[in-house]
Amino acid sequence: MRTYIAPLGFDSRRVVRPVLSEGLDADDEIVLLQPSNASSRGEDALDDVEDVLTQVAPDLTLHTEQLPYNDFVETILYCTDLIQAADGETVVILGGGAREILFPLVIATFSNERYIDKILQMGDIDSSVRQLPKLNLRGNPTNAETQLLRNLTELNTPLSISDIATELDKSKSTVARYVSSLEKEGFVETQSKGRLKTVRVTDSGRILLRW
């Protein structure tokens, strides 16, 4: 089962194309976000989405959520609640819809990446559907962990914990502890091959270092 969460404006393709690119089953759920004063054009787009998607999955569950678009913080919280309450595999679609809905959804998405399985976007330039990386924009590593992250970007990673300890003249236990903490936040990624564990910096880690 998947739950798709997407803002809906006047262009139904911005929902339909990403959903169909990912796949649609009878037990999937589509949650469409609209401002609380949705216009007739918005209702027409809703009808278009329903017409197309129910041809693929006739028993599809599709409903709208009317968001308080004039309160930025409340809209972020509303989107956060929807993401955290979603069932099954959660897919967020970023694109289309009113900016008053899209911007809060973007913030809620990248503040709750651990609840989300995929983030899709339909481009404005080439109309292609692409998957975006899940980024953690809310982490708060210690100074020592941040320094290790910075050091890792300067090394030719992926490297083993032993190699990192040697390169930085630190104990293996210290490096392993910092790596474990950074991995929980999504700032590094480890991969095990037998007894060897290698470490590399993720996109979230790279962005963190620019703050």
Side-chain angles (χ1 to χ4, degrees):
M1 174 185 178
R2 302 181 191 89
T3 297
Y4 291 94
I5 299 175
L8 176 63
F10 302 146
D11 187 354
S12 61
R13 295 173 301 171
R14 294 189 172 275
V15 173
V16 170
R17 289 190 60 185
V19 168
L20 294 181
S21 74
E22 187 63 23
L24 195 59
D25 297 317
D27 60 349
D28 289 346
E29 180 178 8
I30 310 290
V31 181
L32 300 176
L33 312 182
Q34 291 184 304
S36 55
N37 66 340
S39 67
S40 58
R41 290 181 64 192
E43 293 302 316
D44 290 342
L46 175 60
D47 290 340
D48 289 343
V49 170
E50 188 169 12
D51 288 344
V52 173
L53 296 185
T54 53
Q55 289 182 40
V56 178
D59 297 326
L60 175 73
T61 299
L62 186 151
H63 68 272
T64 61
E65 293 284 343
Q66 306 292 322
L67 272 60
Y69 66 93
N70 56 351
D71 189 322
F72 187 67
V73 173
E74 284 301 317
T75 307
I76 293 172
L77 295 174
Y78 201 124
C79 291
T80 296
D81 288 343
L82 291 173
I83 290 169
Q84 294 185 3
D87 293 325
E89 180 181 349
T90 303
V91 180
V92 175
I93 299 171
L94 299 177
R99 290 178 175 84
E100 290 89 343
I101 303 299
L102 177 60
F103 290 169
L105 178 61
V106 169
I107 293 173
T109 296
F110 290 111
S111 299
N112 292 274
E113 85 293 339
R114 64 188 182 278
Y115 293 95
I116 296 168
D117 294 282
K118 287 187 178 179
I119 304 169
L120 301 179
Q121 180 189 53
M122 179 175 161
D124 288 329
I125 297 173
D126 58 9
S127 297
S128 65
V129 177
R130 59 182 62 90
Q131 183 174 340
L132 302 183
K134 296 193 299 178
L135 302 174
N136 177 6
L137 303 182
R138 53 173 174 70
N140 188 29
T142 66
N143 290 338
E145 291 166 355
T146 302
Q147 184 58 52
L148 175 63
L149 195 63
R150 186 171 289 110
N151 293 148
L152 290 175
T153 64
E154 297 168 355
L155 298 174
N156 186 21
T157 56
L159 287 173
S160 69
I161 288 178
S162 295
D163 290 340
I164 294 169
T166 299
E167 290 280 350
L168 302 180
D169 194 24
K170 295 182 181 294
S171 69
K172 286 174 58 177
S173 61
T174 297
V175 171
R177 186 172 69 253
Y178 291 165
V179 165
S180 177
S181 179
L182 290 168
E183 185 173 27
K184 288 178 181 177
E185 293 289 345
F187 298 131
V188 301
E189 181 179 78
T190 64
Q191 184 173 16
S192 296
K193 293 184 178 179
R195 299 180 62 183
L196 184 67
K197 177 184 284 188
T198 57
V199 183
R200 74 169 187 87
V201 179
T202 64
D203 291 334
S204 294
R206 293 168 56 209
I207 291 174
L208 174 73
L209 292 175
R210 298 295 180 94
W211 292 356

